Amino acid sequence: MLMLKIKQMVTVGLVLSLPTMLLSQSPRKFFDAATKFEKSKNYEMALENYTKAIDLDAKYEKAYPARALCYEKLNKKTEAIADYRKAISFDPKSKEMYYNAGRLLAELDSNASADVLLRKAIDRDKGYTEALAIEVGVLFKLKDFKHGLIVTQMAIDDKRTALSLYNHAVNLDSLKNFVEAEKFYRNAKLTDPKFSAASVALALTEVKLNKADQAMKTCDEALVKDPNNADLFYAKSVVHASKKDFQNAINEITKVILSKPSVKVYMERASYYEILGQQYTAVSDYGQAIKLDPKNLEAYLKRAAANENLQNFKASLNDYNKISTLASGDEKISAIVQEAKKKIFELSRENVKPEIEVLSPKAERNIIKVSSDKNELVLKGFVKDENLIKNMNVNSGNATFSADSLNPGFTIQVTDLTRLNEITISATDVYNNTQITQFKLEKTESDKPIIAIETPVASFENEIFIDNNGAEVYIQGKIKDASLIESIMIDGLIASFNPTNLNPEFSAQVKIADKNKITFAVKDIYGNENVQVFTINRSGATAGIDNPMGNTWVVFIENSKYQSFPSLEGPSKDVTAMKAALANYKITKIIHKKDMTKTEMEKFFSIELRDYVKNNTINSLLIWYAGHGKYVSPTGYWVPSDGKTDDEFSYFGINNLKAAMQSYIGKLVHTLVITDACESGATFLMAMRGGDEEKRCDNFELTKAKSAQVYTSAGYELASDNSQFTKTFVSTLNNNVEVCLPIEKIVKKVSAAVSQAGNQAPKFGKIKDLEDEGGTYFFIKK
């Protein structure tokens, strides 16, 4: 029993609390809050609270027009219309709700729906000025001029103004009641003499009533009050035209164009020009109208007709084709266009044969030169003709071309060239004029062009070395070929070159971001093509990041085969062994030169190596020479492959090497020259001064101090052609387990081994006359 009483008490408590809960959520509370938000122009919050009021009570009438007004403030016209319609359901007699809904529908150009609601607003108040004003515009858009007369009369009865009289006249004018329209236009003008629109309409109506002189007077009187009114100039041009004074009509309408250009006035002036026989000027004005309205069919039709009169049939056909596109599905327009095209086709008939021109490969005197090893050929060219080409044939087969284009280009693939001596191409235009041209095939050389890249550095292994991480690279080079070059493409882009030069130089700016290769495609005028892919090596860009010696390059000069001196086998083996040993060390780039002549050596050290150093920001350079050497007191020499035994002038002097290096040595931090040359005597002795103590690897400050060092040996014993010098050098590199290896340590081991073998001791020291700050050359292990 106790539990039952408790349950009953709880139930009664809940029932008693419901009115309080409902009161706290009453629609009025949200409505009042919304009103405050609206007054502070916080329409979003006002809208939210009006909506909450309506959600609590869907029959809360005054919330709907209030919310509709907020929707209007937020430019939500469709939602506002819905709320005004809801308000009408609560109060069907409210003219304001009909008016507001109709007004917004008119703004949305929903004129039929707007008309229904505005009529109801006006039915509830015949003098509803605002509703009458909007309904006049709606009815004019709906072209309901009869009801428009009723509404405009109501507007006049409500308030007789120049505008209400003018609107009534417009409806009369539209119903072709020009006599009555004239009266109301005149009354509008008299009511407000400054209302220029009434004067314009009155003058145009007077023209319709054949009162040209009165119309001119109307225009002149209005222009006194408003001397720059473009509409009055237009009306005056119409008056002049009605009097057949087209020159003055043009003068007046030109004033309109200067201040207020439109399709209408350009079309009007063009018609005047046509009447005066000035067809070219008319075409220009129709063109201006088309610029303002690219879909104006009337402008295209009139321009097409004007061009036809000028016998400019191509332009006329272009316009008719445009009309066909714009008026697709319009049978009437289609019939006009087809008839015009037939007429133009016959008027354009001629008997001139087409001209066939082959552009690629270039044909001279109807001779096409083609590589002797090719069995297929792609011909490209065009057919020149005043009219469209109907068909093309090549050796009895069809060619690919555009039948809708004048002077069309063509592409022809010819196969089985080994059996052909000539190619026959025929072209026939739409008037059946046919040209048949025979091209003789002449077989030419079949060598592919040779691609030589000069900038940036490129190796024989098709590597391009980039010394920065830039997104683009400037490429420069030269093409070698027995024939003229037709095209040079780099990664699909056309390189700059002179096609009239044999072996032309080329250049291009190429994007290399996110690329690891660059493709070169070079084709000569006979179709011989060379496609080469070069790998991008960016090691130079990061060479100094983890290498204390920075960007490190090695140059091997290997002279083995001589014209006058005994040939050597050792240099080749030793350079190969050195390259293998250096593979374990941080070397950015190795350049390997073989059997260099004196001229080549001079060019390399004076120009090529200089450019390598400058363009690639080389920090450390090792030059290794292996070959014959000579010492003719007091000068040491390297012997070029073309050096003569009895001609000192044919040798490459060490002084020449130093002189060449002085032009770019300032760019380098470390320079090490090693020469392993037989019969060299004291080749580098005169270039040296005292040697250094062995440097330690834990003192990397030495990598920042400049060094210019030389290590020279009288290496090759002709009997065995075997260099203990290089053998020990390679062994020291290979057996090294330290992070770095200073040259002094190598010198110590090599000199000991060479001396122990009973050979002349190598010499090590600084290069005289080259800057040296006490640094040294370290070989840094990978």
Side-chain angles (χ1 to χ4, degrees):
M1 289 295 290
L2 180 61
M3 290 299 294
L4 179 61
K5 287 181 180 180
I6 291 171
K7 288 181 180 179
Q8 288 173 342
M9 290 172 65
V10 170
T11 304
V12 170
L14 287 171
V15 172
L16 290 172
S17 68
L18 281 174
T20 305
M21 292 171 65
L22 290 172
L23 182 62
S24 66
Q25 298 292 321
S26 68
R28 180 172 179 176
K29 175 185 174 183
F30 288 112
F31 183 87
D32 290 343
T35 303
K36 291 179 182 179
F37 280 122
E38 188 175 356
K39 286 181 180 178
S40 64
K41 297 184 179 181
N42 188 343
Y43 299 114
E44 288 85 356
M45 289 303 299
L47 187 65
E48 181 180 330
N49 281 273
Y50 281 135
T51 300
K52 287 180 178 178
I54 291 170
D55 288 342
L56 287 172
D57 185 359
K59 295 182 180 181
Y60 199 67
E61 298 177 23
K62 61 181 181 179
Y64 288 99
R67 187 172 71 171
L69 187 58
C70 282
Y71 276 130
E72 282 200 66
K73 295 291 186 181
L74 295 171
N75 200 30
K76 297 182 177 181
K77 294 178 182 179
T78 303
E79 293 85 346
I81 292 168
D83 272 0
Y84 284 131
R85 286 184 183 276
K86 189 67 177 179
I88 290 171
S89 69
F90 293 120
D91 185 7
K93 295 181 180 180
S94 174
K95 66 177 184 178
E96 287 84 2
M97 298 304 106
Y98 285 108
Y99 164 71
N100 285 327
R103 169 176 57 80
L104 291 176
L105 284 165
E107 290 177 11
L108 293 173
D109 215 22
S110 298
N111 294 301
S113 298
D115 178 36
V116 172
L117 293 173
L118 290 168
R119 289 193 191 205
K120 290 183 179 180
I122 293 168
D123 286 344
R124 285 155 179 74
D125 183 357
K126 305 297 183 185
Y128 198 165
T129 304
E130 293 83 1
L132 288 169
I134 294 174
E135 176 69 343
V136 168
V138 167
L139 291 171
F140 191 78
K141 289 180 179 178
L142 292 172
K143 297 185 179 181
D144 188 351
F145 304 118
K146 289 184 179 180
H147 189 64
L149 279 177
I150 297 170
V151 174
T152 51
Q153 186 59 59
M154 292 170 69
I156 292 170
D157 294 342
D158 174 56
K159 190 174 183 181
R160 185 183 178 87
T161 63
L163 181 60
S164 63
L165 292 166
Y166 173 83
N167 286 335
H168 194 64
V170 168
N171 281 285
L172 289 166
D173 199 348
S174 300
L175 291 168
K176 300 188 184 302
N177 188 346
F178 302 128
V179 174
E180 287 299 310
E182 180 190 19
K183 293 178 183 178
F184 278 91
Y185 282 137
R186 191 176 301 282
N187 286 333
K189 175 191 171 187
L190 293 172
T191 301
D192 183 0
K194 294 182 179 180
F195 186 34
S196 298
S199 296
V200 171
L202 175 60
L204 295 174
T205 303
E206 287 170 336
V207 169
K208 296 170 188 174
L209 293 170
N210 296 318
K211 298 179 180 180
D213 291 338
Q214 181 59 44
M216 187 65 74
K217 183 179 177 182
T218 299
C219 290
D220 289 337
E221 288 175 352
L223 282 167
V224 171
K225 299 180 179 65
D226 191 358
N228 297 313
N229 190 294
D231 294 328
L232 286 169
F233 292 136
Y234 174 78
K236 198 169 180 180
S237 76
V238 174
V239 176
H240 280 302
S242 71
K243 299 174 74 173
K244 310 298 182 186
D245 185 358
F246 295 106
Q247 189 55 58
N248 276 319
I250 289 170
N251 293 341
E252 293 298 332
I253 205 166
T254 299
K255 296 176 184 177
V256 182
I257 288 172
L258 291 174
S259 62
K260 196 177 178 181
S262 67
V263 172
K264 178 182 177 181
V265 293
Y266 273 118
M267 294 286 287
E268 196 77 32
R269 190 171 72 170
S271 69
Y272 298 158
Y273 280 128
E274 283 201 90
I275 292 170
L276 292 175
Q278 299 179 30
Q279 300 291 341
Y280 286 106
T281 318
V283 166
S284 176
D285 269 4
Y286 288 132
Q288 292 299 321
I290 289 168
K291 281 185 180 179
L292 294 174
D293 182 6
K295 295 183 179 180
N296 193 301
L297 282 174
E298 184 185 3
Y300 279 111
L301 282 166
K302 287 186 175 295
R303 188 172 71 173
N307 274 316
E308 191 177 332
N309 291 333
L310 290 168
Q311 295 189 339
N312 189 353
F313 300 127
K314 289 181 184 177
S316 185
L317 274 174
N318 287 338
D319 278 345
Y320 282 126
N321 287 330
K322 184 67 176 181
I323 292 163
S324 295
T325 302
L326 291 174
S328 179
D330 189 321
E331 293 183 3
K332 184 178 179 181
I333 295 293
S334 179
I336 293 172
V337 170
Q338 290 305 316
E339 188 61 32
K341 283 185 175 181
K342 287 180 182 178
K343 180 182 176 183
I344 291 172
F345 183 82
E346 290 305 321
L347 290 171
S348 301
R349 184 174 290 279
E350 43 83 16
N351 58 4
V352 179
K353 293 180 180 181
E355 296 178 21
I356 301 170
E357 185 168 346
V358 174
L359 300 177
S360 175
K362 191 174 181 180
E364 296 180 1
R365 298 188 300 277
N366 287 8
I367 296 175
I368 297 175
K369 295 182 179 182
V370 60
S371 175
S372 58
D373 67 342
K374 289 192 175 295
N375 197 36
E376 292 186 358
L377 177 65
V378 176
L379 294 178
K380 292 183 180 180
F382 71 94
V383 181
K384 184 178 180 182
D385 195 89
E386 290 292 321
N387 297 288
L388 295 174
I389 299 301
K390 184 166 63 176
N391 59 60
M392 282 190 71
N393 291 298
V394 182
N395 291 356
S396 301
N398 293 327
T400 302
F401 72 102
S402 175
D404 298 325
S405 302
L406 286 172
N407 303 321
F410 62 79
T411 301
I412 301 168
Q413 184 160 5
V414 183
T415 59
D416 206 13
L417 291 180
T418 54
R419 298 185 181 182
L420 296 178
N421 293 318
E422 61 183 29
I423 298 173
T424 302
I425 303 176
S426 66
T428 303
D429 68 17
V430 291
Y431 296 114
N432 292 320
N433 300 308
T434 300
Q435 174 66 47
I436 301 174
T437 304
Q438 291 182 328
F439 294 90
K440 182 181 177 182
L441 290 178
E442 185 176 295
K443 303 299 173 69
T444 67
E445 53 89 9
S446 59
D447 294 331
K448 294 180 179 180
I450 297 172
I451 303 169
I453 299 173
E454 297 173 349
T455 303
V457 177
S459 71
F460 292 110
E461 292 78 26
N462 280 16
E463 268 190 309
I464 290 180
F465 292 86
I466 308 298
D467 63 352
N468 58 65
N469 289 314
E472 295 185 356
V473 63
Y474 179 74
I475 295 178
Q476 201 169 14
K478 191 172 185 178
I479 304 300
K480 296 180 181 179
D481 195 80
S483 307
L484 292 174
I485 299 301
E486 178 184 288
S487 65
I488 303 174
M489 306 292 289
I490 304 178
D491 272 354
L493 299 175
I494 300 172
S496 175
F497 75 103
N498 188 338
T500 63
N501 288 351
L502 280 171
N503 303 321
E505 295 180 345
F506 69 88
S507 62
Q509 191 78 16
V510 180
K511 294 181 179 180
I512 58 171
D514 301 321
K515 289 183 181 179
N516 57 18
K517 62 182 181 180
I518 302 174
T519 301
F520 292 75
V522 182
K523 184 190 292 185
D524 68 19
I525 58 174
Y526 302 127
N528 299 308
E529 186 174 20
N530 185 9
V531 178
Q532 284 185 246
V533 178
F534 285 76
T535 302
I536 298 174
N537 188 331
R538 292 185 175 86
S539 59
T542 57
I545 295 176
D546 59 353
N547 185 357
M549 297 294 287
N551 189 11
T552 303
W553 283 41
V554 176
V555 176
F556 285 106
I557 309 296
E558 175 202 325
N559 281 358
S560 300
K561 297 178 181 179
Y562 287 90
Q563 297 174 14
S564 299
F565 283 77
S567 292
L568 299 168
E569 294 181 4
S572 177
K573 297 176 183 178
D574 292 342
V575 169
T576 300
M578 275 298 299
K579 288 171 72 174
L582 289 175
N584 298 314
Y585 292 82
K586 292 180 178 179
I587 305 297
T588 306
K589 169 70 176 171
I590 292 177
I591 297 174
H592 187 180
K593 297 287 186 177
K594 294 183 178 181
D595 301 322
M596 300 183 77
T597 64
K598 181 182 179 183
T599 301
E600 289 172 340
M601 293 177 81
E602 288 174 343
K603 180 182 178 183
F604 177 76
F605 285 106
S606 297
I607 299 174
E608 293 180 30
L609 187 56
R610 177 200 65 194
D611 292 343
Y612 282 144
V613 171
K614 291 181 179 179
N615 297 335
N616 296 279
T617 318
I618 299 173
N619 304 109
S620 300
L621 177 65
L622 166 60
I623 300 173
W624 182 290
Y625 174 78
H628 281 299
K630 272 292 183 179
Y631 180 73
V632 181
S633 182
T635 305
Y637 295 95
W638 288 343
V639 180
S641 62
D642 61 348
K644 298 176 182 179
T645 56
D646 57 351
D647 185 1
E648 181 182 350
F649 183 75
S650 67
Y651 307 152
F652 180 73
I654 300 306
N655 290 331
N656 292 344
L657 172 63
K658 285 199 300 177
M661 292 178 66
Q662 281 174 338
S663 67
Y664 51 85
I665 198 71
K667 301 285 184 180
L668 295 165
V669 179
H670 301 286
T671 306
L672 175 59
V673 178
I674 297 176
T675 176
D676 192 1
C678 70
E679 302 181 9
S680 62
T683 301
F684 266 97
L685 188 59
M686 299 304 295
M688 297 170 54
R689 51 194 177 87
D692 291 330
E693 295 298 324
E694 182 179 323
K695 303 297 192 297
R696 295 173 57 86
C697 284
D698 57 3
N699 185 10
F700 276 108
E701 289 297 319
L702 292 173
T703 63
K704 299 177 183 178
K706 285 194 171 188
S707 67
Q709 298 164 296
V710 61
Y711 190 32
T712 181
S713 165
Y716 293 107
E717 295 299 330
L718 296 180
S720 63
D721 204 14
N722 181 34
S723 171
Q724 183 65 46
F725 180 92
T726 303
K727 182 179 179 181
T728 308
F729 206 113
V730 168
S731 176
T732 306
L733 288 171
N734 287 336
N735 295 326
N736 174 50
V737 294
E738 302 296 332
V739 175
C740 82
L741 182 62
I743 183 61
E744 287 82 2
K745 191 170 185 178
I746 298 175
V747 166
K748 187 175 181 180
K749 291 190 176 183
V750 171
S751 296
V754 170
S755 297
Q756 190 174 357
N759 296 323
Q760 183 179 342
K763 303 294 183 180
F764 174 68
K766 299 175 183 178
I767 302 176
K768 188 179 180 181
D769 300 328
L770 297 186
E771 186 178 3
D772 188 300
E773 297 173 343
T776 195
Y777 195 99
F778 287 100
F779 292 85
I780 308 297
K781 203 82 178 286
K782 285 184 180 178

